[in-house]
Amino acid sequence: MATTPLQRVEVTPKSFAGLKDTRGESIRRQLASDHGLQVKEVRSIIGYLVKADLAIEQQQQMVTDLFCDPVIEHGSVNESMLNNQELFSERPDVVIQIGFKPGVTDNAAQAGLDGLKTLFPVDANDAAISTTMTYIFYGLSTDIDCDWLATQLHNQMIERVAITNFEDSTSSNWKYLDFPEPTPNQFSTPSIIDLEVSDNELVNISETGLLALNLEEMQAIQAHYRDPEVRESREKENLHPNAPTDVELECLAQTWSEHCKHKIFSANIHHVDNETGEDTHIDSLFKTHIMKPTFDIAEKVDWLLSLFHDNSGVIEWSPEWSLCIKAETHNSPSALDPYGGAMTGIVGVNRDILGTGLGARPIANTDVFCFGPPEYAGKIPGGLFHPSRVFRGVHAGVRAGGNESGIPTVNGAIVFDERYLGKPLVYCGTVGIMPRHLPDGRESHIKTPHPGDIIYMVGGRVGSDGIHGATFSSLELTEESPSSAVQIGDPITQKKMVDMLLQARDEGLIQVITDNGAGGLSSSIGEMAELTGGAKVDLGVIPLKQAGLSSWEILVSESQERMTLGISPKDCAAFEKLAQLHEVEATIVGTFTNSGNFHITHGEQTVALLPIDFMHDGVPQLQLESEWTPPTHKEVVFPLTNPQEKGQILSRLMARPNIASKEWWVRSYDHEVIAQSVIKPFCGVDHDAPGDAAVIAPIHGETQGAVISCGIIPRYSDIDAYAMVAACIDEAVRNAVCVGVDLERMAGLDNFCWPDSIESPKTPDGRYKLAQLVRANRALDDVCRAYQLPCISGKDSMKNDAILDGKKISVPPTLLFTLLGNHHDVRKAVSSDFKESGDVIYIVGQTHQELGASELATLFQDENGGGIGGKIPEIDTTRNLALYRALTAAMGDGLVVSAHDCSDGGFAVALAEACFGAGAGCNIDVSQMYADCKEINNWGVLFGESLGRITVSVKPEKSTAFESAMAGHTCYRLGEVGRDDDIRISNGSETILTASMMELKKSWQSTLNGGDV
Amino acid sequence: MVDIPQVAVLTGFGINCDIETMAVFEMAGAKAHRVHVNSLVNGEDNLDNYHIMAVPGGFSFGDHLGSGRLLGNRLRFGIREQVRKFVKDGKPVIGICNGFQVLVKMGLLPGDDEVSLEQTASLTLNDSGHYEDRWVTLEFNNNSPCVWTKGLQRMRTPVRHGEGKFVVPSPELLDKFEDKQQIVAQYVKSEDEYPSATSEPLPYPTCPNASMRNIAGVCDPSGLVFGLMPHPEANHSKWLGATWTREENGDDWIGEGMAIFNNGVKYAKENLL
């Protein structure tokens, strides 16, 4: 390989009228917008370092036919473009070249290599490509520190940089990156780990090996190797009888990780409530408060097909089709490399869908992010990025992952809070669709594994990237966090694999399938081996990205874009032919058995022999302490204001990042591919008012729809996590009601992101945090039962803390609740925008004085000091559900032209947003809203965040019919959509708020505007 | 079977609008087949078996090395003569979004009478520097020979791209395409009265990518090969419109975008069956 000659190809945009260097220009604009740095001009050169044995004419051809678009670009090979006076006549001030570190996924290079093979019959094993991007700066102030500038343009975790500074540039001493040669991996034969040591030493083994196992777990493993039967079976395979191999220990660490085993949710919790005197034990929050309610609901309905055990939950949506849904978080990787971390998050959850049943097609993504404030001005602890950079990177990663996979991002949210500075939360969700039955008659949500099925690994290869992701995410983030936990996704390799596997599914070739995510092959094969009762795998045949990986590394590597399947021996030929057509690598790696063991060899040698039941059931249950004392907060300080000032407060509220328009960011997600998006992220006359839930009509030409919505409101955790969870679920349901969901067929997903809740010296407040988790789960139980909304899948991420510069930053306890529902007829779906002047405006649902931890309280706290204390929204599920039923029925009868839910910022914000959609103001009298609650004042009416409320508009001629449809429910006629720009809100004869709709809209749109065009 | 046009909808390598593209051809009365590019290269299938070829949208090869470039090369080098024969046989071809980029990069569009597959134009990064999904209004050139857009005036569709800026290196060449009526679709301001298509640059976001002369789609000199950046297949039913909840929809829910596919299928029925 070292002898293969290297060619340097360079490509830069031509300059003719109408064409510009857009890449360079984007960097120039970004430096101006993020740092106020003015640069006269930035130009760009894309570089390809091509290692291949090519004749001179082939070298020329690869430039013109592959790397360079001759209509719009100049290309050269083995010439330094910067020395070309025709192209770069002016001497630049600074030149910065960026390339990947060795071993980091370089998708453009892979595509280039593929293109090279289209042109010439090059030997793939001999050829290699690496890409670089060079930015050439003109008019850069000489006091700019080049190293600082370079840091803004690349991520040192995954990228390298070569800087030509002012001085070098004067002498044309251009700096170039070399080809990133990976250091060869050192294969080491499996080592034996002696566990007959002291307890301290056991803990030490776990910590130094990044195993994330506690003492009890290490002792359970120690005990396993003392079992005479175990010793006997090991001797037969020539394994050390009394001690595990590193392969075994790593495999157990992955399988038993918090990430995979959800040990906190499975723990036995001793819960004490100092408010009520309750003292009780809870045997598994998951079984008690998540599974139990769902199984109870499952006894009453017939459409719940697959619950909890598979990669996603499945519901019957129509007689012909099932839908499934799953959401994951990718928080730790996104903190280290926002782009790669987020991208692998989205393509990873897509694989969960592909790995459900016999394989489902991903058809919609949801993306919910929690970041530090974008304008954060405080000191950023070492090892962290500024929240605005995390935001940009995560957004770009999800954009690339979703768009390139051809899956629309239909719904999402972005939440800001300073406590997400240490660990951003990146939730990625995917909805999938699969036929109820395959052509061969099998139900597609049920896996049909048999001992004897051949195990295939399909898709990408295994590399040293992504080792220890599962265990790493089960630890807090520190400066020493390993870069190997970071990966960049490769959506196109995955897309080819998705196409191929869905065809294989329809041809009846798949018996069992799952994805390779956390824990890699150890988890994917390990989990499926549980179904047949065993598996035998040879690590020596696994295709590798780099030679020399040791056995345990191959087993636990989380390299992306891979699925593991079981194929019946009779179908292997057909399966491999399909793989060949789609140019997807498919390798036989072993066989499913019923031996009772996960038997792993490397070539002839056995390197691991783990009994299946020990792997899956051997982990000891955690015993945890929980103690609830309600927190105290200072009350909100309300200023004295007149109606115009209330209008200005509304304007400032609209500009707060949590409420502000996210349009600039959301537009760069494809939300319409697959041609099914009925209610989109935006609506209204100018397509820029915010939608509530998404509605899709996934079968082309048919009118049955699916509704996807979400709820997330972490700030309520500061007062009570019970209220936080109740509010999340109600928000998701309310959003779905706004578009006319079928309330009889809704399923939920719970995604918990919690700070460390196990009491320890590192976490002295662990009991309180665990009590928050207990209360959160009780709310989930209560509200889901009441709404008949079964959770069909979910996930928890329990270590969202960062210790940086010696300081611990913990995220606020955060639940994302995602809802997937049916829609009877998308032609009757309702959008949030007011439609026409004169339409009648109503509010449905009761308003109470509930401003505790509200967005308004946080605004006043930021502006005037004071606290966020006060009453927090209380849920009345019976009242809400009855009202939701009446409202969706009225929608079915065509009585409602708009519906928008009241959430962050309360009624006034919802009203303003509905006005944006009409391009008009409104005239309303809210006096009736004071009737629901004795203590209520203007602040509560305008900005309180009471649950169960929706702002609705109705055609004047249908208002009587609407009012009778809503009889018996709280439904107040408030006024009408205006003819001019004025928003006027009065309480009887007293005007309480006035504002200009356009001014509010401007304020709402300006905060998160990502950059001018 | 013979009275229904057979459509080859290409797939593979990151094409991702194949399913909806098949759906719209079926709605238009044709039979759509999902054809993997490799099955044409390896000889298991042949374009001769079809009356219409569609190159759908997507992110073939991740848009790396320029959108449409690598898939264009697969076609240009892998099935060059099949493609040339298909067009010379008078069969219609449509490329949408990434498919348009593929046809331009392989030289089939704007193309020439000889179907020489020499690239003369390109599609490059939007001036905004980023990918965008937003709805636009298109206006069609009624003097164009394009068989796909006969009788069409305007259409609302989404654009979903980061590299949709149509560029031609010289104004003279662009004039030539204009003279031959190969400029088929242009972005216009929806509020302006029809006809309003203009070659004067329109501001963002009316022209979402700063395309030269507001060009959204072009055809080859014969009018059989048509490519455009916007996605007419994404407006196959009225309920997919950007503002359909604000409009009177009546009982007919067929979307504006179907007209293009109806035209293509009609042409095939009348001329190729």
Side-chain angles (χ1 to χ4, degrees), chain A residues 674-919:
Chain A
I674 309 186
Q676 59 179 5
S677 297
V678 174
I679 299 294
K680 307 175 204 286
F682 306 106
C683 59
V685 61
D686 292 322
H687 315 176
D688 56 4
D692 288 310
V695 179
I696 58 173
I699 308 301
H700 299 110
E702 292 184 16
T703 54
Q704 188 182 352
V707 176
I708 299 127
S709 64
C710 69
I712 182 166
I713 183 146
R715 55 192 148 80
Y716 291 164
S717 296
D718 289 338
I719 295 182
D720 185 357
Y722 185 99
M724 182 275 284
V725 167
C728 287
I729 303 171
D730 191 63
E731 185 179 22
V733 173
R734 222 159 56 225
N735 274 299
V737 165
C738 285
V739 299
V741 72
D742 167 10
L743 285 161
E744 306 307 318
R745 194 165 293 207
M746 302 190 299
L749 278 190
D750 55 286
N751 282 83
F752 287 84
C753 281
W754 234 251
D756 181 21
S757 320
I758 300 178
E759 188 181 34
S760 72
K762 273 193 295 194
T763 310
D765 54 353
R767 289 179 186 225
Y768 174 70
K769 287 172 172 166
L770 192 63
Q772 289 181 303
L773 186 68
V774 169
R775 295 182 69 81
N777 274 277
R778 288 178 169 177
L780 190 76
D781 189 335
D782 293 346
V783 178
C784 286
R785 280 180 191 276
Y787 284 160
Q788 287 291 294
L789 171 57
C791 288
I792 57 172
S793 184
K795 204 77 197 249
D796 54 276
S797 166
M798 302 304 293
K799 304 276 171 178
N800 290 291
D801 313 88
I803 298 177
L804 297 148
D805 296 347
K807 206 178 129 211
K808 179 165 167 181
I809 311 177
S810 297
V811 305
T814 307
L815 173 80
L816 168 67
F817 193 87
T818 312
L819 181 149
L820 170 65
N822 179 44
H823 199 290
H824 288 302
D825 185 347
V826 298
R827 292 170 297 185
K828 295 192 169 159
V830 174
S831 61
S832 72
D833 48 322
F834 287 152
K835 299 300 184 293
E836 274 185 310
S837 302
D839 286 356
V840 184
I841 301 172
Y842 294 85
I843 185 164
V844 301
Q846 291 191 8
T847 303
H848 295 259
Q849 183 70 6
E850 294 174 324
L851 282 159
S854 65
E855 193 65 37
L856 182 76
T858 320
L859 169 85
F860 285 155
Q861 186 182 39
D862 290 352
E863 291 185 352
N864 318 321
I868 55 157
K871 269 199 164 171
I872 197 161
E874 205 173 302
I875 195 160
D876 183 332
T877 48
T878 313
R879 188 177 71 212
N880 293 351
L881 183 60
L883 182 140
Y884 295 159
R885 284 193 204 286
L887 183 61
T888 49
M891 288 171 167
D893 292 336
L895 300 178
V896 176
V897 293
S898 84
H900 188 33
D901 92 303
C902 301
S903 54
D904 304 64
F907 168 68
V909 168
L911 184 75
E913 289 177 341
C915 285
F916 297 162

Side-chain angles (χ1 to χ4, degrees), chain A residues 18 29 64-66 68-69 114 406 492 581 583 667-668 670-672 674-675 680 831 833-835, chain B residues 15-16 19-20 38 59 62 69 73-74 76 119 122 128 131 133 135 160 165 236 240 244-246:
Chain A
R29 281 201 301 248
T64 49
D65 274 338
L66 180 62
C68 156
D69 177 341
D114 188 288
I492 296 306
L581 176 73
E583 297 184 22
R667 281 238 175 269
S668 64
D670 190 333
H671 48 262
E672 297 183 276
I674 309 186
K680 307 175 204 286
S831 61
D833 48 322
F834 287 152
K835 299 300 184 293
Chain B
I15 287 176
N16 61 36
I19 293 180
E20 60 261 41
N38 276 350
F59 267 88
R69 176 80 164 165
N73 272 359
R74 288 275 187 137
R76 191 156 65 106
Q119 182 185 348
S122 195
S128 67
Y131 178 101
D133 176 344
W135 281 67
R160 311 193 306 249
K165 176 175 175 165
H236 62 68
L240 300 176
W244 72 272
T245 58
R246 308 181 64 81

Side-chain angles (χ1 to χ4, degrees), chain A residues 195-197 199 202 217-226:
Chain A
L195 297 185
E196 294 302 333
V197 293
D199 286 354
L202 283 180
E217 290 154 358
M218 288 301 286
Q219 285 169 335
I221 296 172
Q222 182 187 52
H224 174 74
Y225 288 91
R226 290 173 178 169

Side-chain angles (χ1 to χ4, degrees), chain B residues 113-188:
Chain B
D113 296 325
E114 299 74 37
V115 197
S116 64
L117 299 186
E118 291 294 331
Q119 182 185 348
T120 53
S122 195
L123 286 150
T124 188
L125 296 166
N126 301 348
D127 269 10
S128 67
H130 58 85
Y131 178 101
E132 255 187 359
D133 176 344
R134 65 165 66 244
W135 281 67
V136 296
T137 303
L138 301 182
E139 193 166 296
F140 297 100
N141 171 5
N142 277 321
N143 298 318
S144 166
C146 181
V147 303
W148 295 89
T149 57
K150 284 273 175 273
L152 301 187
Q153 296 187 334
R154 278 191 175 179
M155 181 179 290
R156 295 174 294 177
T157 75
V159 288
R160 311 193 306 249
H161 61 247
E163 299 186 27
K165 176 175 175 165
F166 185 79
V167 291
V168 172
S170 77
E172 296 74 30
L173 190 54
L174 204 44
D175 287 341
K176 197 188 103 189
F177 297 140
E178 200 169 294
D179 291 344
K180 289 184 148 182
Q181 307 292 348
Q182 286 178 256
I183 294 170
V184 179
Q186 286 168 292
Y187 302 103
V188 294

Side-chain angles (χ1 to χ4, degrees), chain A residues 276-520:
Chain A
T276 63
E278 181 190 1
D279 185 323
T280 185
H281 285 268
I282 304 162
D283 180 11
S284 172
L285 288 170
F286 178 60
K287 282 186 190 149
T288 313
H289 293 302
I290 301 177
M291 284 179 104
K292 183 73 168 51
T294 294
F295 287 138
D296 288 347
I297 295 170
E299 287 182 10
K300 296 181 216 157
V301 302
D302 61 359
W303 45 269
L304 290 168
L305 296 181
S306 174
L307 301 168
F308 305 118
H309 69 273
D310 205 340
N311 289 308
S312 71
V314 187
I315 63 169
E316 182 180 80
W317 174 63
S318 76
E320 287 82 34
W321 298 96
S322 314
L323 295 178
C324 56
I325 185 164
K326 177 63 172 272
E328 287 268 6
T329 49
H330 233 221
N331 308 335
S332 304
S334 301
L336 298 176
D337 174 24
Y339 177 79
M343 194 209 260
T344 45
I346 193 71
V347 296
V349 74
N350 293 162
R351 283 196 308 278
D352 277 324
I353 296 304
L354 184 63
T356 296
L358 296 168
R361 176 187 298 282
I363 55 167
N365 287 336
T366 63
D367 296 303
V368 176
F369 310 139
C370 303
F371 297 132
E375 303 294 325
Y376 183 75
K379 186 177 171 285
I380 303 290
L384 285 187
F385 294 119
H386 189 274
S388 66
R389 186 158 173 191
V390 176
F391 185 178
R392 258 189 211 283
V394 165
H395 171 261
V398 165
R399 182 188 65 210
N403 291 359
E404 292 183 24
S405 305
I407 302 165
T409 298
V410 298
N411 196 252
I414 311 177
V415 178
F416 300 94
D417 186 301
E418 251 179 59
R419 289 166 287 177
Y420 296 118
L421 209 59
K423 247 195 199 184
L425 303 185
V426 176
Y427 293 95
C428 299
T430 303
V431 177
I433 192 166
M434 60 176 114
R436 275 291 280 115
H437 295 91
L438 294 182
D440 63 19
R442 285 181 298 162
E443 291 189 281
S444 56
H445 67 277
I446 298 173
K447 299 184 199 294
T448 54
H450 312 278
D453 285 346
I454 306 298
I455 306 175
Y456 277 87
M457 187 182 95
V458 175
R461 296 181 153 215
V462 173
S464 51
D465 49 346
I467 287 174
H468 277 159
T471 49
F472 162 60
S473 71
S474 308
L475 298 166
E476 80 276 7
L477 198 60
T478 68
E479 284 91 342
E480 284 81 42
S481 297
S483 65
S484 67
V486 173
Q487 301 189 62
I488 295 179
D490 174 2
I492 296 306
T493 294
Q494 180 153 319
K495 173 69 177 147
K496 290 193 288 186
M497 176 177 74
V498 172
D499 287 351
M500 179 241 160
L501 290 178
L502 290 175
Q503 198 177 337
R505 175 200 69 185
D506 291 341
E507 292 177 14
L509 303 178
I510 297 174
Q511 302 302 333
V512 61
I513 178 170
T514 199
D515 80 304
N516 284 281

